[in-house]
Amino acid sequence: MKIKTYDILKYKYPEISVLALNFVNYPSDMIVPVFKSDFDKNYNIKSDDLIELNEKSNNLIAHSIKLNKFDGSEETQLIILLPDREIILLGCGEEPSFEKKEYINEVNPGFEKVRMLGILSSRIIDKLCKKEITIGIRGFKNRPSNIPFFIMLTDGIVRGFYKFNYKKQDDEKTNCNGLKRVILVVQEEQIKHAEIGIQSGISLGKCVNFSRAVVDEPSNILYPQNYVELIKEFLKDSPCDIEVWDLERVKKENMGCFYAVAKGNEGDKTEARFVIIRSKKKSKNGKIALVGKGITFDTGGYNLKTVPNSIAKMKKDMGGSASVIAATKALLDIDIDIEIVTAIPLTESSISRSAYHPGDVVTAYNGKSVEILNTDAEGRLVLADALAYISENENPDYILDASTLTSSCFIAFGLKIGGFMGTNPECNELFAQSSRDAGESFWEFPLSKKYRDGINGKISDLSNINSDFVKYGGTITAGLFLREFIGNCKNWIHIDMSAPIYALTKTYLGETALGFSVATIVRYVERLVETKLSKE
Ligand code: BES
Ligand code: ZN
Ligand code: ZN
């Protein structure tokens, strides 16, 4: 079967451009974001710009608002057919304050809403099937700076066009229904920032959509070998070199942990691969390593996942790899001034005659022996060798790894918040700030010494789970395990996004992969470069 992601890479997104004008005066089909604060409780318009727009419509807008009892609630829409054009009021709920004080340390709620506006606008555009549509940019008072606003908005617009399915009828439809142009109507003083933001937002959104597509691909369609080809295609115009190892090489290099997980894959298609992507650019700002868990399906191994719901979505277990690949391209394409090396261990975790067993003892790349007390804790094993290899051979100044690592992260933070931890408080703070900038919720777990003893092995240096209390603090245990493999690198961040990588609840985002963490990783690397954080 043809891999759908290739179509998504070829997708022709509409051109997004910007025009400086009072949106009220621009005579075209237009999406206008509105907030609850734009209306009183009797559905009368309160805001001056909307009153002006209404006057131009001979009161048809106000009439329609009253008739439909439209109050600007989030995710509602009102389409008003005027003689010469259509006005689509897009409800955005409460107008965001862009102030953090409302929720301590919370993701900037304003930016999340801006992205939502972009996503919902695209959905409307797609439905209406126009050649051209404008979005009248209004509201969102007190937003911090215009560039991030337009990055977020455009990133949202691009995300909103994402569709993933293998339905015959959708395959035959042409992309984008013939739509050619989206025009953002902005105020004169915003135009420069808008133009810059749009370019970054388009590039980021496309990378995010790639990461979503590979996560949405079923494991019978996307497996290590053809995933590698897809990665090469995705990165073909970006300044980097790609090295690929097969299973034999993994074994020969003494990656005993990765090999243990990978050797159980029987059949030619699913043979493991280790991918290393190196940016061509050298930089005085040093080098960052991005490492992503790439389990194309996690059965659990002989510690089989027995809860139906927990195994059902395990195609998403390569989400970490998807995020770091997408972030790598986004960073290469903005010509970021730091060297990047990205490492991805790719394998299924299966049950077979040759699969590893609970109780097996293996030796990791850095020489530490590991007793595998649970074959379902496979992510940390493949990451351990990738981290050790990269740390020893590439000497990165910074390391960030991304994964869908523990169900404990679900339990701690629920479905919408990712977890992270790290070895340098300055990097941790920078990462937390980056997640707020990017409109994604990440919270820090303590990399606490208290639980370090729990992963001491009985007959080996380490065990891959805390056998005393598997159920408690599992995300911390996994982090402590990975820390054993980062070598001399002082600036390590580990992120766990088991839940938010995929929308499990029905929201406007739909039930699909979300590309969660890509925007934060990109922003984090940008911030590292901006702040010139000490590398030591
Ligand atoms: N891939 C899973 C973690 C996961 C669970 C991701 C649910 C997304 C949704 C990981 O490999 C795993 O199975 N972890 C175990 C570890 C345990 C055996 C110590 C877990 O978290 O239950
Ligand atoms: Zn597992
Ligand atoms: Zn897993």
Side-chain angles (χ1 to χ4, degrees):
M1 209 162 174
K2 200 172 144 232
I3 302 170
K4 184 80 194 163
T5 307
Y6 281 105
D7 295 340
I8 289 169
L9 287 184
K10 279 194 253 130
Y11 194 97
K12 285 222 173 346
Y13 291 95
E15 183 192 312
I16 304 173
S17 55
V18 59
L19 204 67
L21 211 72
N22 181 348
F23 76 94
V24 169
N25 297 326
Y26 191 65
S28 86
D29 294 334
M30 188 180 287
I31 294 173
V32 181
V34 293
F35 302 90
K36 284 183 140 180
S37 52
D38 288 319
F39 310 99
D40 70 16
K41 61 179 187 328
N42 297 318
Y43 310 101
N44 295 308
I45 303 172
K46 278 171 30 190
S47 310
D48 293 344
D49 54 354
L50 294 181
I51 290 172
E52 209 185 322
L53 186 70
N54 175 52
E55 279 163 6
K56 291 203 185 268
S57 78
N58 289 326
N59 218 25
L60 279 169
I61 294 178
H63 180 72
S64 184
I65 288 170
K66 281 212 160 191
L67 196 71
N68 290 285
K69 297 193 162 56
F70 180 79
D71 68 351
S73 290
E74 202 164 289
E75 296 177 44
T76 59
Q77 298 157 26
L78 182 64
I79 302 184
I80 304 150
L81 295 173
L82 301 178
D84 56 339
R85 60 173 173 151
E86 288 172 27
I87 296 283
I88 302 112
L89 300 183
L90 178 54
C92 294
E94 308 291 339
E95 186 163 8
S97 66
F98 289 93
E99 280 173 21
K100 278 176 226 146
K101 66 173 189 246
E102 240 176 305
Y103 301 97
I104 292 163
N105 237 358
E106 179 58 289
V107 53
N108 195 320
F111 282 140
E112 252 182 327
K113 200 156 268 197
V114 178
R115 185 182 281 140
M116 179 190 84
L117 167 64
I119 293 174
L120 293 178
S121 294
S122 303
R123 302 261 171 87
I124 294 172
I125 291 166
D126 206 31
K127 254 200 225 140
L128 296 184
C129 192
K130 304 272 180 194
K131 276 252 172 304
E132 182 177 302
I133 197 153
T134 52
I135 305 178
I137 305 301
R138 65 176 294 279
F140 295 100
K141 285 193 277 293
N142 310 322
R143 54 188 194 241
S145 142
N146 273 317
I147 296 179
F149 176 88
F150 285 104
I151 293 177
M152 212 62 83
L153 178 66
T154 318
D155 170 24
I157 292 174
V158 174
R159 289 183 199 218
F161 283 108
Y162 176 77
K163 273 192 208 125
F164 187 95
N165 68 63
Y166 276 95
K167 289 182 187 176
K168 187 163 180 285
Q169 90 204 44
D170 276 37
D171 216 33
E172 285 160 2
K173 260 201 220 159
T174 52
N175 280 338
C176 215
N177 292 332
L179 180 93
K180 294 287 181 288
R181 241 152 80 94
V182 177
I183 303 168
L184 307 183
V185 179
V186 304
Q187 283 151 14
E188 184 71 48
E189 66 271 19
Q190 299 174 333
I191 199 139
K192 271 235 146 56
H193 287 156
E195 276 165 355
I196 301 168
I198 287 171
Q199 286 324 310
S200 309
I202 291 175
S203 147
L204 177 62
K206 286 183 180 173
C207 292
V208 168
N209 282 351
F210 167 83
S211 81
R212 299 168 73 187
V214 288
V215 171
D216 275 329
E217 292 287 2
S219 69
N220 67 322
I221 296 180
L222 191 74
Y223 34 84
Q225 267 131 315
N226 59 9
Y227 190 3
V228 169
E229 297 312 313
L230 190 54
I231 294 168
K232 287 182 182 162
E233 176 67 22
F234 180 58
L235 286 163
K236 72 175 192 288
D237 298 321
S238 304
C240 62
D241 297 307
I242 303 180
E243 186 181 337
V244 182
W245 297 2
D246 63 7
L247 184 64
E248 251 331 281
R249 179 80 189 269
V250 169
K251 187 180 181 185
K252 229 171 75 198
E253 296 278 351
N254 299 318
M255 291 185 163
C257 291
F258 181 15
Y259 184 73
V261 180
K263 75 190 171 81
N265 296 351
E266 288 177 349
D268 52 352
K269 297 190 307 190
T270 50
E271 191 188 287
R273 294 287 182 263
F274 185 52
V275 183
I276 309 165
I277 304 162
R278 294 183 182 86
S279 65
K280 292 207 161 117
K281 187 172 188 153
K282 304 280 169 268
S283 166
K284 60 180 181 336
N285 292 326
K287 189 194 280 189
I288 179 154
L290 303 175
V291 181
K293 171 176 173 182
I295 300 291
T296 51
F297 194 84
D298 180 9
T299 63
Y302 278 103
N303 290 104
L304 178 66
K305 287 187 185 293
T306 47
V307 182
N309 276 345
S310 78
I311 198 163
K313 287 280 189 304
M314 275 305 139
K315 64 175 186 179
K316 72 175 175 181
D317 214 18
M318 32 57 71
S321 71
S323 291
V324 298
I325 295 160
T328 302
K329 178 159 168 68
L331 289 163
L332 290 174
D333 291 354
I334 55 170
D335 196 23
I336 188 90
D337 192 8
I338 191 167
E339 205 179 328
I340 305 172
V341 54
T342 301
I344 312 138
L346 288 178
T347 179
E348 237 181 63
S349 177
S350 31
I351 301 174
S352 72
R353 172 71 188 82
S354 53
Y356 68 152
H357 299 153
D360 287 357
V361 175
V362 295
T363 305
Y365 184 83
N366 66 357
K368 295 188 183 180
S369 60
V370 178
E371 185 176 10
I372 292 149
L373 293 179
N374 190 318
T375 57
D376 199 11
E378 84 302 334
R380 64 198 72 180
L381 295 172
V382 303
L383 287 173
D385 279 337
L387 286 167
Y389 177 83
I390 288 298
S391 160
E392 205 164 294
N393 296 283
E394 297 282 338
N395 285 315
D397 303 291
Y398 313 95
I399 301 180
L400 178 144
D401 70 67
S403 57
T404 45
L405 208 62
T406 63
S407 50
S408 303
C409 200
F410 268 66
I411 294 163
F413 287 167
L415 297 180
K416 299 179 181 175
I417 300 175
F420 77 95
M421 57 197 94
T423 43
N424 177 350
E426 271 185 272
C427 290
N428 295 351
E429 182 49 33
L430 218 58
F431 186 82
Q433 284 168 6
S434 308
S435 93
R436 280 175 231 138
D437 291 353
E440 294 179 326
S441 277
F442 272 104
W443 273 69
E444 188 178 341
F445 278 94
L447 192 65
S448 172
K449 213 176 169 183
K450 284 198 163 62
Y451 304 135
R452 172 58 190 80
D453 284 355
I455 52 167
N456 281 338
K458 295 209 168 58
I459 57 165
S460 54
D461 298 319
L462 297 166
S463 69
N464 76 332
I465 59 168
N466 182 336
S467 51
D468 294 334
F469 45 96
V470 184
K471 276 192 180 159
Y472 308 116
T475 308
I476 299 172
T477 304
L480 289 167
F481 183 85
L482 293 181
R483 201 189 59 148
E484 296 297 313
F485 300 91
I486 58 172
N488 294 327
C489 184
K490 301 276 179 293
N491 305 311
W492 169 66
I493 296 269
H494 157 62
I495 72 183
D496 190 334
M497 44 178 189
S498 300
I501 192 78
Y502 197 94
L504 293 170
T505 46
K506 285 209 168 94
T507 65
Y508 73 95
L509 295 164
E511 280 179 274
T512 175
L514 297 177
F516 187 87
S517 82
V518 179
T520 300
I521 297 172
V522 169
R523 189 69 197 117
Y524 173 63
V525 180
E526 282 177 341
R527 273 188 177 266
L528 280 177
V529 174
E530 283 162 18
T531 45
K532 303 213 181 306
L533 205 73
S534 133
K535 288 180 269 174
E536 290 314 308

